[in-house]
Amino acid sequence: MRFSDPPAGNGRRQAILAAVFILLFLPPPAAAVTLKVATLAPAGSVWMQEMQAAAEVVAKQSAGRVELRFYPGGVMGDTPALLRKMQLGQLHGAAVTLGEMASTVGDGELYSMPFLFRDQTEYDALRPELDRRIAEQYTAKGLVLAGTTNSGFVYLYSLHRAASAAELAAVARVWAPQGDNVTIGTLEKAGIRAVPLPISEVYTALQTSMVDTVVNTMSGLIALQWHSRVRYMIDLPIGLAVGGVVFLERALAPLAAADRELLIAETSDALRRLDRRVAAENADARAALAGAGIEIIPPADGSRAEWEVKAREVRTELIAAGKIDQPSLPWVEERLRALRAAADE
């Protein structure tokens, strides 16, 4: 052995020391995070199909660092229960309608506001900016709105053949979502008996005649089997059913920036796919309702204008009383006036 040769094994020790040094100063691998997300959407529904598809992409592209565990079908309770469990950290997210989150972010209720939007064109024109405004308000509450989806317009369905507010007032007992002060107020302004109930109790209420008139999208009416308890649909769009997926900001804090971006992007893409699928479902549902013997009747002349006046009065009264807070409502109303004026030219 020459004097300049290193002692046997010295090179191996140096390599080991170098590897230890590198390991000590490399950032640790991100821990796997499982996000628990609940929804009222039934298992097997198009909602759950798209959410599961997004979850699979997220898990694969994050190499298992981010997983989504879903609790569908209302097994975690109604929307207020989901919000409480999110506050306690028992859930990390929820797929809900924005109107049901109005107590947290008032502007989210604008989409479902009775007789505010008239058609899909108006919704499409305002959606990008209104979605942005709503998302900012969620951020201020420590929540992340990953995206929205439009389930379509809701309509009135009844056991009674009634084409106007006056005709409904004479005979109908109309279900209104519990806590939806605007819908309840609009019905009462028209002299109609409103019966506020959680959505989970509506089918039983139809069976027992506690209610005989309901509101829902066409596909939603069929999915919940409510169509078997009504005979007529008034062909007058009332308001939009817009949903979204909301995450707790603190639940996303452990995620690497790239994983967080992946989660939000894939969730948003899934919700946009839902837009297209639900639009097709509603088109099919309209034909299915007619095929099931439900008569689709046109609204009485002037009915739309009458409803709009009553709904606007209720909004004004509730805002003045501090019962609803919708900072973007003046912007929405101004944009809608401009759109309608342009369409009339």
Side-chain angles (χ1 to χ4, degrees):
M1 182 175 68
R2 296 194 303 270
F3 181 76
S4 58
D5 290 337
N10 190 48
R12 186 164 54 252
R13 286 195 296 271
Q14 288 178 343
I16 293 171
L17 288 172
V20 170
F21 180 85
I22 292 170
L23 289 173
L24 286 173
F25 287 93
L26 277 176
V33 174
T34 299
L35 299 171
K36 299 177 181 179
V37 181
T39 178
L40 300 182
S45 64
V46 291
W47 261 85
M48 286 308 307
Q49 290 171 24
E50 293 295 350
M51 290 298 101
Q52 291 285 6
E56 290 172 8
V57 174
V58 170
K60 182 177 180 179
Q61 295 191 10
S62 70
R65 293 186 299 274
V66 183
E67 295 187 355
L68 293 167
R69 181 180 301 163
F70 293 105
Y71 299 87
V75 296
M76 286 289 186
D78 58 11
T79 297
L82 300 188
L83 296 179
R84 287 193 299 271
K85 289 177 180 179
M86 286 176 67
Q87 291 171 349
L88 295 171
Q90 296 171 351
L91 287 172
H92 307 120
V96 295
T97 63
L98 299 189
E100 291 174 314
M101 295 280 286
S103 60
T104 302
V105 172
D107 271 356
E109 194 176 19
L110 288 172
Y111 286 126
S112 59
M113 192 70 64
F115 302 102
L116 184 59
F117 290 87
R118 290 179 180 174
D119 55 38
Q120 184 73 27
T121 300
E122 293 185 347
Y123 165 74
D124 290 340
L126 271 64
R127 180 180 187 176
E129 173 62 16
L130 188 51
D131 272 8
R132 186 192 65 78
R133 289 170 177 248
I134 293 169
E136 286 181 350
Q137 293 172 39
Y138 274 102
T139 298
K141 299 286 186 178
L143 299 166
V144 177
L145 180 63
T148 64
T149 187
N150 172 24
S151 296
F153 275 95
V154 301
Y155 296 82
L156 275 166
Y157 311 87
S158 183
L159 275 174
H160 309 288
R161 198 182 196 286
S164 68
E167 291 175 349
L168 281 170
V171 293
R173 296 181 296 278
V174 183
W175 167 66
Q178 194 169 51
D180 186 344
N181 293 329
V182 181
T183 297
I184 294 168
T186 301
L187 290 169
E188 292 177 346
K189 178 75 72 173
I192 297 169
R193 180 182 173 187
V195 184
L197 291 169
I199 193 170
S200 58
E201 297 179 14
V202 175
Y203 187 76
T204 301
L206 284 166
Q207 288 178 308
T208 60
S209 299
M210 180 184 293
V211 300
D212 52 33
T213 305
V214 294
V215 292
N216 208 325
T217 63
M218 287 177 276
S219 59
L221 189 83
I222 293 173
L224 293 170
Q225 298 296 304
W226 296 358
H227 68 291
S228 64
R229 313 300 304 185
V230 297
R231 296 176 185 168
Y232 304 96
M233 168 184 152
I234 303 176
D235 200 6
L236 178 65
I238 296 175
L240 286 152
V242 174
V245 175
V246 181
F247 292 104
L248 276 173
E249 173 62 48
R250 67 176 184 269
L252 303 189
L255 272 58
D259 289 343
R260 177 190 174 110
E261 183 178 338
L262 170 67
L263 171 68
I264 301 301
E266 289 300 324
T267 303
S268 179
D269 286 350
L271 293 172
R272 290 305 177 106
R273 291 194 301 270
L274 268 172
D275 278 0
R276 297 187 291 272
R277 293 187 65 177
V278 173
E281 278 198 346
N282 279 322
D284 292 341
R286 188 180 185 94
L289 290 176
I294 293 174
E295 184 181 352
I296 300 175
I297 59 176
D301 290 344
S303 186
R304 175 91 209 182
E306 180 186 0
W307 278 113
E308 286 182 353
V309 169
K310 296 181 189 304
R312 187 162 51 248
E313 289 173 355
V314 170
R315 292 196 298 269
T316 301
E317 291 168 5
L318 291 175
I319 289 171
K323 293 183 178 180
I324 60 174
D325 178 26
Q326 294 167 343
S328 293
L329 178 59
W331 175 83
V332 169
E333 291 178 326
E334 177 57 36
R335 288 284 291 115
L336 290 175
R337 279 193 294 269
L339 286 170
R340 292 165 189 172
D344 290 339
E345 290 179 355

